[in-house]
Each structure stands twice: as C-alpha cells, then as structure tokens.
Amino acid sequence: MMEKKFIYSILYDYYKELLKDNQANIIDLYYNQDYSLSEIAEDMNISRQGVHDALKRAEKSLTDFEDKIKLFYKYEKYQKAAEKIIKLTAEIDDEKYKETVKQIRNEAGKIINEG
Amino acid sequence: MMEKKFIYSILYDYYKELLKDNQANIIDLYYNQDYSLSEIAEDMNISRQGVHDALKRAEKSLTDFEDKIKLFYKYEKYQKAAEKIIKLTAEIDDEKYKETVKQIRNEAGKIINEG
C-alpha cells in the first residue's frame, strides 16, 4: 500500500492539466511542497475550510481520472516490463550480441524514462 | 498524416470515459459505426445541427485531452520501442539464449498488447 501523499503526488504529475487551476495549485502546495491547510488558506486568501473542501474535491478528481483512464496503472506495467527486459539482457553476456543488447537496452530505456 | 476518422476513433478509445455520455455516444456512432449526422439526429431525437455542434465539442474535448495528457502519443512511443525490441531479438539467433530471448519478447509483448 503506497502512502497517500505519494499517490497524490504521482496522480498530480499525470493529471494536473485536467484539474482546475486552483485545485492543481492546492494539490501541489499540500502534497509536493508540504504546506499546511492553514498556510495554503493564508497564501490563497480563502478559509481553511475552503482549502480543505477544494483539496478533497481535487483528490477525488485525481482518483476519478485514474479510475477512468488508468494512465498510472498502465505506465507502471510498461515500466516493469521494460525494467525486466533490461535485467534479462544481462544474461546475454556475449561479445557477438553486444551491439544488439545495447540497442535493446536503449529502446527499453525510452519506455522507462518517458513517464 | 493520419485520417481524421482514424484519429478520433483512437482518441475515443483512450478518453471516452472522460466525455459526457451523449458526446461519447455521438463520437462512437459517427466515427466507429459510420452513422450520418441525420441518422444520429433521428436516433437521439435531436436536431441535425444539435448533433453537429455536439460532435464538434466532443472532437475538441478529445484533442484537448490528448494535448493535456498525451496518452496516445506516449503509448505510440512505448509501442514502437517494444516492437523494435522484438525485432532486435531476432538477431540473437542462438540456442544458448533461446529462453532469455523468449522472455524478452514476452515482456515486450505486454507493452504492445495493453493499449
């Protein structure tokens, strides 16, 4: 079970463009920059309760997006497959296939590094 | 340049869950099932102009989603990398690495088959 904070940070990375500006801002301040609700309230000049409610709505939006389009779930799968490919290539320790193995790793690396 | 019809069919597959029900329905009828605007209008009991406007809005939503979260773009990249990996493994034609190559292909196949 992943930590809640970590989950929302990741979902924010994937879906921030779909959030309303103020919701994106609140998620970022709370989950990435460790602001308290009161600090955000002061910063945005709204009530603490208002921040709390907007945060809950933003969290729900993020989990709804993931339920619907599963970007994080799918990407995790692709990444695991690519990592496994890189691991498997280590078994082909052969001068003859050195260049091919290098290219396979390079392709797998594209999948891993382009979240 | 991909055909417009093909693009919206694909974007629909990725993002239909984010569309309003009637928009999803119209895109599906028009782009996947080849209904005309008039046929959709009759089917949904709204005006042809109403269907046209809803279709344009739905198309815009789909391209906006893609602009924002790039699911199709990213997946195409991953898929190309995975296909290239499979192609590269053909160069390792060696009994010694048969099982490893099989596993690499299997992992790459997971990326290709899970759009």
Side-chain angles (χ1 to χ4, degrees), chain A residues 49-75:
Chain A
Q49 184 64 38
V51 174
H52 175 268
D53 295 348
L55 181 67
K56 291 298 144 196
R57 277 194 301 275
E59 288 174 0
K60 186 171 184 319
S61 292
L62 289 177
T63 49
D64 281 351
F65 292 141
E66 179 61 16
D67 285 345
K68 286 175 175 168
I69 49 182
K70 298 181 177 54
L71 191 50
F72 172 50
Y73 170 79
K74 286 179 181 174
Y75 181 63

Side-chain angles (χ1 to χ4, degrees), chain B residues 54-69:
Chain B
L55 181 68
K56 291 299 143 195
R57 278 195 301 275
E59 288 174 359
K60 186 171 183 319
S61 292
L62 289 176
T63 49
D64 281 351
F65 291 142
E66 179 61 17
D67 284 346
K68 285 174 176 170
I69 51 183

Side-chain angles (χ1 to χ4, degrees), chain A residues 19-55:
Chain A
L19 291 175
K20 287 171 193 154
D21 284 348
N22 71 325
Q23 288 186 346
N25 198 13
I26 287 172
I27 290 279
D28 184 44
L29 291 171
Y30 190 74
Y31 285 111
N32 294 334
Q33 305 193 43
D34 279 320
Y35 277 51
S36 70
L37 294 181
S38 302
E39 285 169 333
I40 298 171
E42 199 174 326
D43 203 54
M44 296 179 75
N45 204 22
I46 50 178
S47 70
R48 189 184 176 286
Q49 184 64 38
V51 174
H52 175 268
D53 295 348
L55 181 67

Side-chain angles (χ1 to χ4, degrees), chain A residues 14-18 64-65 67-69 71 73-75 77-82 84-85 88-89 91-94 96-97 99-101 103-105 107-108 110-112 114-115, chain B residues 14-18 64-65 67-69 71 73-75 77-82 84-85 88-89 91-94 96-97 99-101 103-105 107-108 110-112 114-115:
Chain A
Y14 283 112
Y15 300 113
K16 63 185 162 205
E17 297 287 343
L18 297 181
D64 281 351
F65 292 141
D67 285 345
K68 286 175 175 168
I69 49 182
L71 191 50
Y73 170 79
K74 286 179 181 174
Y75 181 63
K77 268 187 141 171
Y78 304 153
Q79 191 166 42
K80 267 184 198 151
K84 211 163 163 190
I85 286 168
L88 283 161
T89 59
E91 293 174 14
I92 307 170
D93 187 14
D94 198 316
K96 194 176 159 195
Y97 302 117
E99 183 55 32
T100 304
V101 162
Q103 286 180 48
I104 290 174
R105 284 183 184 154
E107 294 300 322
K110 288 183 190 171
I111 296 163
I112 292 170
E114 306 228 10
Chain B
Y14 283 112
Y15 300 113
K16 62 185 163 206
E17 297 287 344
L18 296 182
D64 281 351
F65 291 142
D67 284 346
K68 285 174 176 170
I69 51 183
L71 193 47
Y73 170 80
K74 285 179 181 174
Y75 180 62
K77 267 188 143 171
Y78 303 154
Q79 192 166 41
K80 266 184 199 149
K84 209 161 167 194
I85 286 168
L88 284 161
T89 58
E91 293 173 15
I92 307 170
D93 186 16
D94 198 317
K96 194 177 159 195
Y97 302 116
E99 183 55 32
T100 303
V101 163
Q103 285 180 50
I104 289 174
R105 284 183 185 156
E107 293 302 322
K110 288 182 190 171
I111 295 163
I112 292 170
E114 305 227 9

Side-chain angles (χ1 to χ4, degrees), chain B residues 5-22:
Chain B
K5 183 182 160 168
F6 182 59
I7 293 176
Y8 286 119
S9 280
I10 290 177
L11 293 182
Y12 171 81
D13 282 343
Y14 283 112
Y15 300 113
K16 62 185 163 206
E17 297 287 344
L18 296 182
L19 290 175
K20 288 171 192 154
D21 284 348
N22 70 325

